[in-house]
Amino acid sequence: MKRREFIELSAQGMGGLLIYSLTGRPVVANAHEGKVRVPLRFFTEKEAKVVVAACERIFPANESGPGATQAGVVVYIDHQLAGPYGTDKYRYTQPPFDESAPGYGYQGKENPQEIYRAGVQKLGDDFTELDGPKQDARLKAIEHTYFFRLLRQHTIEGMFCDPMHGGNANLIGWQLLGYPGPQMSYREQIGKYNGVPYRIKPQSLEQILGYPIHPWEDEEKG
Amino acid sequence: MQTLAPVDVVIVGSGWSGMIMGKEIASRTPLSVLVLEKGGGFRGLAAYGREMDEVDTFIRKRQAESPANGLVTTRASSRARANPIRQYGDFPWVGCGMGGSSDHWGATSPRFMPEAFEIATHLKRLHGASKLPPNNLIQDYGITWTDIEPYYTQAEEMMGTSGKAGNLNGKKIEGGNIFEGPRSREYPNPPHPMLYAPQLFAKAAKELGYHPFPMPSSTLSQSYTNPDGISRIGCQYCGHCSLFGCMVGAKASPNFTLLPIALTKKGFSVRTHCNVRRVVHKGAKAVGVIYVDDSGTEYMQPADAVVLAAWTFNNARLLMLSGIGEQYDPMTGKGTLGKNATYAVHVGLEFFLDRPQNIFMGSGGMATAIGDFGGDLGDEGAAEGALRGGLIFCYTQGDPPVISAFGVIPDGEVKQNWGGEWKNAAVKWSDRYGTFLSTENHFPYRQNYLDLDPNYKDKWGDPLLRVTMDWTDAERKQAAFISRKQVEIAKIMGAIAINPRPVPSATSGPPLMVNNHSHGGAIMGASPASSVVNPYLQHWNIHNLWVVGGSALPQGEEHLTLTVAALAYRAADAFINVYLKQPGALA
Ligand code: SF4
């Protein structure tokens, strides 16, 4: 049996309290000490660490707010890859595969799990030990690949997804943008905030609905 | 193969077309009507609340047809080899399950311009045939505005379309689209409120002498009871509209406005998870359909009449697979099945403002439009080879609001699309932009057509449909013209920055020119020499076969759903009032 792998993430992102400011700028107020151990579904610990580092270069924590590590983007990607998406359950996979024709998007044979496995390996085991500019140079070198396109897209998804998918921890991504979550109604507000920000404390879909829900990747394993 | 108990009418597909036919026939006749839907059943309003999740619904498209089953193959020219659509993301989506795409559309609901139905005659009169683009197959529908207007009204009242009339019985009304064809009635519901940027758009458009109006939308602006007695509450502006089912039932869907009525009729029934593979015919008569269920078991469903109301391109494909009609050949120009395949010329831009827009609020189809370039482009257009346009409209709702709306930045502001600098810009602009779009007339051409793919097959082993399509100079000129007009308005609106896209298609271009705005393949017309179905959508050769939907439109146009619904009502009337009394050719 496969040994259970974990990734250790800073509790600051995963469990720390974020104070919500009306300008949409989140401030980490009460970062807990210590780490959270998150069990991995697809990645090995080594792979997960490379992905954490790469996503942080794509969407870094900086002066405009928190980044991919704090949002737990790696957990989102890990869950997606372990679900039906990761094994192409819903992709058209009949041959022949013709990757030479331009304009079609990805036409290859490999599924997202395979693309990540190879892509992460290519970034190098030592990726996590490099400094920022050196990591950027390695990412720059693969910028044209489908793996990078996926990594970038999944980083954005993991930043701003509903937290049930594993990313957007503490709704950190939604606070960054001032997005209130999937609220059921703006009928009272519509037409009343002309050029004026409407910013409320965001809520997850589960909080809004008031009953437990499960994402697709949990209902249907890949 | 098991042969099932016969029904009077079998309908393939449960979108607007199939359900309008089904509900009308089941309500007005004693016939037994069976709707076959290849996806699952209606999941209910609560499920739609649960599905307000951008990852599962909008990005992975859990509720849409699975690409794994086989969608279509596409190519830009008949010299190229076609590749299959392998995944969503590069390609919009096709609906699946009760209601089809009509259950999670954007609900944008303008009517076509009145001359659209006689466009060949109109353009030849206006410009002369020699001024029309080379190799065009532009043709009339075989009906006129007067034929379709009552059915537009019927469709709007059933859906509860919200809007403002601009031409009521010939009287022009400012505030509505004064260029529209004469309407017999005002919209059943008032327009939605205008959001901030669309207000700026309206002001700028007026300054330029144009005539802004609220885009008609089939999401309810208020509580409404339709003529069939169906009551629904007004839109909540939840921002999860296009591609989502509506969790309060405010967005018109066959599941809300037609299914509940049809289900009360004794003769009506629905069977889900039934994928129709063939229309069975003996000589000039359809005798039923063969379908396969999810387990792969095949059934023969005998019927006295067959209505094809599947996705636009699946209507054409089912005819091809069934060997009904002559396949169009672009070399000889012979055959009618698969010809006049069109898309819509999408031209858009993004504009940036210094104020937040709250892009997470709003509903699909909520926009402000001008109709000044919605039809003929006048002498100015003709001088540069741009003949027909489309509505230009402005909206701000991200729809969906967050992941897919993220990352819109003024062109050239950052050097790469990742990293700190990019993130700062993307965050800064995330709620400070809006979009213009035009969904314009797309002419049919000799070289743009549909046939069966020789290489790729669906889950059940049937060939996929192959779409061969590319833009021509005419669309490029049209896009350049419309884009220029869009930029003019955006500048006056006070946009800080503008990303113009003066080329056709803001969504997908060749070789992926296919989506839920696709038209044609089994077109209507006045003569069997140039069309597959007659002006009542009855097949020219097989009189108990009706082919209803976007497949009937001979040209690419403005948002097509309302017109498709109106044509379905007209077909239902012809079927019930004329055909049933004397089965035979109606034209
Ligand atoms: S925006 Fe309105 S019509 Fe659309 S899904 Fe939300 S409530 Fe329904």
Side-chain angles (χ1 to χ4, degrees):
Chain A
M1 212 180 99
K2 188 177 165 256
R3 191 174 64 89
R4 191 112 226 215
E5 305 255 353
F6 292 86
I7 176 98
E8 264 189 8
L9 294 171
S10 155
Q12 179 183 311
M14 302 306 293
L17 260 185
L18 284 155
I19 287 184
Y20 184 71
S21 79
L22 275 179
T23 58
R25 209 164 271 275
V27 190
V28 180
N30 187 15
H32 297 287
E33 288 302 315
K35 309 272 186 185
V36 187
R37 266 162 64 85
V38 182
L40 292 166
R41 297 180 182 179
F42 168 72
F43 289 132
T44 63
E45 183 183 347
K46 230 166 148 182
E47 287 171 330
K49 282 183 170 160
V50 174
V51 171
V52 170
C55 294
E56 184 64 19
R57 295 314 296 171
I58 291 172
F59 204 105
N62 65 5
E63 63 278 9
S64 65
T69 310
Q70 280 162 288
V73 162
V74 67
V75 181
Y76 169 81
I77 299 177
D78 184 57
H79 288 189
Q80 287 294 311
L81 292 177
Y85 168 75
T87 51
D88 271 347
K89 192 162 171 195
Y90 295 99
R91 185 165 181 263
Y92 185 77
T93 49
Q94 289 193 26
F97 293 90
D98 175 12
E99 290 187 67
S100 62
Y104 284 97
Y106 180 59
Q107 280 286 327
K109 201 185 201 145
E110 281 71 37
N111 67 31
Q113 286 192 351
E114 293 160 339
I115 291 163
Y116 263 87
R117 199 124 268 166
V120 170
Q121 201 183 1
K122 206 148 175 229
L123 283 176
D125 279 353
D126 60 341
F127 188 81
T128 51
E129 288 140 41
L130 306 176
D131 62 17
K134 288 215 174 85
Q135 287 179 334
D136 284 355
R138 286 225 183 137
L139 289 169
K140 195 89 199 159
I142 61 154
E143 213 182 20
H144 61 282
T145 63
Y146 185 57
F147 166 61
F148 184 82
R149 196 182 136 190
L150 284 187
L151 187 66
R152 176 186 175 275
Q153 171 63 24
H154 294 161
T155 303
I156 299 172
E157 288 171 13
M159 274 310 296
F160 303 117
C161 65
D162 190 278
M164 71 174 159
H165 293 287
N168 189 19
N170 254 349
L171 306 181
I172 203 173
W174 290 356
Q175 297 187 59
L176 175 63
L177 304 183
Y179 171 61
Q183 300 292 331
M184 294 291 150
S185 181
Y186 298 114
R187 202 167 163 90
E188 291 302 312
Q189 289 80 25
I190 198 80
K192 294 193 188 128
Y193 288 82
N194 288 336
V196 182
Y198 175 72
R199 301 287 183 263
I200 56 169
K201 189 171 163 34
Q203 288 176 293
S204 71
L205 183 56
E206 187 164 293
Q207 287 169 329
I208 290 167
L209 293 171
Y211 57 83
I213 51 170
H214 306 282
W216 196 7
E217 61 271 18
D218 287 5
E219 288 174 19
E220 244 181 86
K221 296 281 187 273
Chain B
M1 185 170 37
Q2 192 186 339
T3 298
L4 303 164
V7 293
D8 294 321
V9 184
V10 68
I11 297 176
V12 181
S14 66
W16 283 124
S17 295
M19 283 304 298
I20 286 173
M21 290 290 282
K23 181 241 162 199
E24 290 299 304
I25 298 170
S27 305
R28 290 158 57 186
T29 76
L31 301 183
S32 57
V33 178
L34 169 66
V35 172
L36 298 175
E37 163 55 45
K38 80 170 150 182
F42 172 46
R43 297 185 300 288
L45 294 183
Y48 291 154
R50 154 64 192 84
E51 288 166 15
M52 284 172 67
D53 172 53
E54 190 169 344
V55 171
D56 283 350
T57 305
F58 197 89
I59 297 173
R60 303 274 171 258
K61 298 185 174 65
R62 186 178 184 170
Q63 74 294 6
E65 169 75 299
S66 166
N69 296 344
L71 293 169
V72 292
T73 72
T74 69
R75 56 181 183 170
S77 95
S78 56
R79 286 182 302 279
R81 194 182 152 285
N83 272 338
I85 304 284
R86 292 195 178 274
Q87 63 255 318
Y88 290 128
D90 312 303
F91 166 76
W93 53 283
V94 184
C96 189
M98 273 317 278
S101 302
S102 313
D103 194 42
H104 31 94
W105 60 316
T108 301
S109 301
R111 298 177 172 193
F112 288 179
M113 296 294 282
E115 71 277 10
F117 301 96
E118 302 164 275
I119 191 73
T121 309
H122 170 80
L123 287 175
K124 280 174 197 158
R125 191 168 52 216
L126 208 60
H127 303 289
S130 65
K131 288 281 168 28
L132 302 189
N135 296 320
N136 80 79
L137 294 178
I138 302 171
Q139 65 186 64
D140 295 347
Y141 283 59
I143 59 171
T144 65
W145 178 255
T146 333
D147 294 325
I148 196 169
E149 201 286 330
Y151 298 105
Y152 267 137
T153 303
Q154 192 176 1
E156 286 165 351
E157 297 195 338
M158 177 266 290
M159 294 183 189
T161 310
S162 305
K164 173 92 195 78
N167 181 343
L168 212 46
N169 295 310
K171 192 170 160 269
K172 304 266 167 132
I173 304 167
E174 280 299 331
N177 181 13
I178 59 161
F179 302 99
E180 74 174 335
R183 309 166 54 85
S184 52
R185 286 203 209 151
E186 178 54 276
Y187 279 97
N189 285 296
H192 291 286
M194 225 178 250
L195 296 177
Y196 176 63
Q199 282 177 22
L200 301 181
F201 172 89
K203 206 166 147 266
K206 267 192 197 146
E207 245 179 86
L208 286 163
Y210 304 142
H211 303 82
F213 66 94
M215 178 68 100
S217 162
S218 294
T219 61
L220 298 180
S221 58
Q222 60 184 13
S223 296
Y224 173 69
T225 303
N226 77 7
D228 287 321
I230 296 273
S231 294
R232 292 140 62 212
I233 68 164
C235 171
Q236 303 300 308
Y237 307 105
C238 75
H240 291 66
C241 207
S242 239
L243 252 181
F244 294 85
C246 178
M247 78 299 181
V248 295
K251 178 167 66 178
S253 156
N255 292 335
F256 305 150
T257 57
L258 301 170
L259 185 64
I261 305 237
L263 285 174
T264 65
K265 307 299 169 196
K266 219 171 100 251
F268 182 86
S269 60
V270 173
R271 219 172 283 154
T272 54
H273 301 286
C274 300
N275 183 66
V276 173
R277 296 181 64 181
R278 298 288 184 277
V279 176
V280 186
H281 56 107
K282 287 211 173 82
K285 196 169 166 18
V287 295
V289 298
I290 292 175
Y291 71 83
V292 56
D293 68 12
D294 282 356
S295 73
T297 313
E298 271 202 335
Y299 301 87
M300 164 69 192
Q301 175 61 61
D304 283 344
V306 175
V307 177
L308 292 185
W311 175 44
T312 295
F313 282 173
N314 277 346
N315 274 352
R317 177 171 177 255
L318 275 169
L319 293 173
M320 291 172 191
L321 289 172
S322 308
I324 297 174
E326 190 185 349
Q327 170 66 47
Y328 169 73
D329 179 347
M331 298 307 289
T332 61
K334 281 175 69 183
T336 53
L337 181 58
K339 79 192 267 274
N340 286 48
T342 58
Y343 187 57
V345 184
H346 290 72
V347 183
L349 62 70
E350 285 137 1
F351 61 90
F352 299 84
L353 295 170
D354 61 355
R355 284 164 171 269
Q357 305 295 313
N358 304 314
I359 65 167
F360 45 82
M361 289 183 198
S363 71
M366 205 172 168
T368 300
I370 57 166
D372 299 69
F373 305 102
D376 291 322
L377 295 179
D379 293 343
E380 187 193 352
E384 51 191 90
L387 301 184
R388 299 280 293 175
L391 302 176
I392 295 177
F393 57 97
C394 165
Y395 61 93
T396 46
Q397 69 275 20
D399 192 20
V402 65
I403 302 169
S404 316
F406 185 79
V408 181
I409 299 168
D411 289 347
E413 187 168 305
V414 291
K415 286 187 290 294
Q416 64 178 26
N417 68 356
W418 56 279
E421 202 197 343
W422 164 78
K423 175 204 165 188
N424 293 347
V427 170
K428 173 175 122 193
W429 292 113
S430 65
D431 193 29
R432 291 169 196 272
Y433 76 93
T435 308
F436 283 12
L437 191 62
S438 299
T439 315
E440 298 163 34
N441 195 282
H442 180 207
F443 291 137
Y445 296 96
R446 206 176 157 141
Q447 65 274 21
N448 291 346
Y449 68 103
L450 313 174
D451 64 358
L452 293 174
D453 190 276
N455 298 314
Y456 295 100
K457 304 208 165 10
D458 72 7
K459 186 172 144 184
W460 296 276
D462 287 329
L464 296 187
L465 188 82
R466 177 169 66 180
V467 181
T468 304
M469 200 182 290
D470 199 357
W471 300 124
T472 73
D473 269 351
E475 288 80 55
R476 286 185 271 271
K477 287 171 182 163
Q478 183 183 337
F481 180 95
I482 293 289
S483 175
R484 209 168 61 230
K485 301 295 174 194
Q486 290 179 340
V487 170
E488 229 170 73
I489 304 171
K491 279 190 181 148
I492 301 222
M493 266 175 79
I496 305 171
I498 301 168
N499 292 348
R501 307 272 182 255
V503 286
S505 194
T507 49
S508 54
L512 296 173
M513 287 169 65
V514 47
N515 76 357
N516 36 8
H517 283 250
S518 294
H519 313 61
I523 63 168
M524 62 193 287
S527 146
S530 58
S531 56
V532 172
V533 292
N534 68 24
Y536 301 99
L537 311 189
Q538 178 190 38
H539 196 276
W540 279 113
N541 308 331
I542 300 190
H543 303 144
N544 65 339
L545 173 64
W546 297 62
V547 188
V548 188
S551 53
L553 305 184
Q555 270 84 225
E557 288 281 349
E558 194 51 69
H559 291 76
L560 68 162
T561 304
L562 192 76
T563 304
V564 166
L567 287 171
Y569 271 121
R570 187 167 187 271
D573 257 8
F575 183 90
I576 296 164
N577 298 340
V578 188
Y579 174 79
L580 283 182
K581 292 193 178 121
Q582 198 173 2
L586 263 53

